[in-house]
Amino acid sequence: MEKHFDIIIIGAGPAGLIAAARASQLGNRILVLEKMAQAARKLRITGKGRCNITNTAPLSEFVKCIHPEGKKLRPAFSRFFSKNLIDFFAEINIPTKEERGSRIFPLSDDANVVADALISYCKTQKVEFLLNAEVQDISISDEPAKNLRITINNPKQQFSAHSIIIATGGLSYPATGCTGDGYKFAKQTNHLIIPTRPALVPLRVNHPKVSELMGLSLKNVTASLWVEGKKMQSEFGEMLFTHFGLSGPIILTLSRLAVDSLNEKKKVQIQIDLKPALDDQKLDQRLLREIDEHGKMKISSYLKLLLPGLLAPFCAQELGFDSEKQANTISALERKKLRVWLKNLVFNVVGHTGFKEAIITAGGVSISDINLETFESKKVENVYFAGEVLDFDADTGGYNLQIAFTTGWLAGEAAAKQVSGSR
Ligand SMILES: Cc1cc2nc3c(=O)[nH]c(=O)nc-3n(C[C@H](O)[C@H](O)[C@H](O)COP(=O)(O)OP(=O)(O)OC[C@H]3O[C@@H](n4cnc5c(N)ncnc54)[C@H](O)[C@@H]3O)c2cc1C
């Protein structure tokens, strides 16, 4: 039996849910099809389970954090931006708070609360949900009232709709249900797909001892990305060592260009400046003063004063220091080596952890095929795209969810108005 809806939304992630919420406010019969047994699986793990909903950076700064062409989202953001999103969440009883870096989180610090509130709101608006419903095919029929036919994994259920919104996400964290199905639907309907790559992804390095630093988190350091011997990008903040390499906010931000450069078979290095506040001269003065003060200490103990936890023995090993000797035996040459090391800890990047651990997908449905005010396809009438499936990806800080919420909101609004106009 075939059931007809005004709007069918494929994917119950943030983009799909807010599209349903907005379209339902304008009065439509809406169905959300979600392939997983639970809606919004990815949203529930965002922000380490706390959900960094958005960022209150001004628009001019905000769009700089979006790739490849954030400024193209200006018209969309001028209609639904961080303030509108925060107000919407307040209306559905999700008060928010602002943290360092203008990042907005729910007061509850709980991403599940955000996901559940969105779903509950949709349900009170009479949006219907079908879970475990994997859309397998979309076909365009000549019959105007049943323009779009949707086939799911259950052959007994067929759907048609006036409009559909494809909000199937990208390829990152496939365990949450995102396996690139939207790209398949887009390709079938002649949309251009910009090649997909993992972004905001941990990097693998080829240092034999990096696993000894596993779990070490560094704050207030600068990491720079070097490609073919040229410094390309620098980020200041926090990073983390893993058993295979480097992760944490500033490394994730550098990873986009690192992945693209690796794909082009270029030499990629990360240089870490452990003492970015000190230039070479000031650093030397500090070392001299401290070595004088703590001269009787073993080198191993002195390095623990200078460096966080696991880095002290790593440093001694790297520089070939005899840790048992006293700090005041460090020669001028050794002090120079130490200075260079502190400001130039270099790792050769040999890979990344792939989509399995990428926060976001770079590439996707080309924005040249999309009306960026309504998010309707320019190729197929009544078909909309929203969220990560589009060729937008952003830095960490709440920008990616705002993209999903803005594009979803506007797609839901435009689809609903189109349906009303056709009556
Ligand atoms: C670990 C992690 C942490 C993150 N933290 C943050 C953060 O704090 N702040 C931030 O801004 N961004 C964060 N992100 C990014 C953010 O989660 C994404 O930008 C956002 O989820 C994209 O929303 P979406 O609705 O487009 O897609 P998704 O959230 O991926 O939702 C797509 C939905 O479509 C469903 N689906 C797919 N194919 C089909 C099909 N064929 N039929 C039916 N349903 C289908 C999927 O099951 C899924 O539920 C994080 C990402 C990860 C992986």
Side-chain angles (χ1 to χ4, degrees), residues 11 14-15 34-35 46-47 52 135 169 173 177-178 181 359-360 387-388 398 401:
E34 167 55 50
K35 82 181 201 192
T46 54
N52 181 191
V135 172
Y173 270 64
C178 311
D181 299 4
I359 302 284
I360 198 83
E388 194 174 331
L401 279 175

Side-chain angles (χ1 to χ4, degrees), residues 10-16 33-36 40-43 45-47 51-52 133-135 167-170 173 176-178 181 185 358-360 386-389 398-402 404:
I10 309 173
L33 295 170
E34 167 55 50
K35 82 181 201 192
M36 303 300 276
R41 287 283 293 273
K42 188 179 283 176
L43 182 60
I45 57 165
T46 54
C51 188
N52 181 191
E134 180 179 344
V135 172
T168 44
Y173 270 64
T176 61
C178 311
D181 299 4
F185 306 143
I359 302 284
I360 198 83
E388 194 174 331
V389 70
Y399 307 100
N400 283 302
L401 279 175
Q402 181 70 52

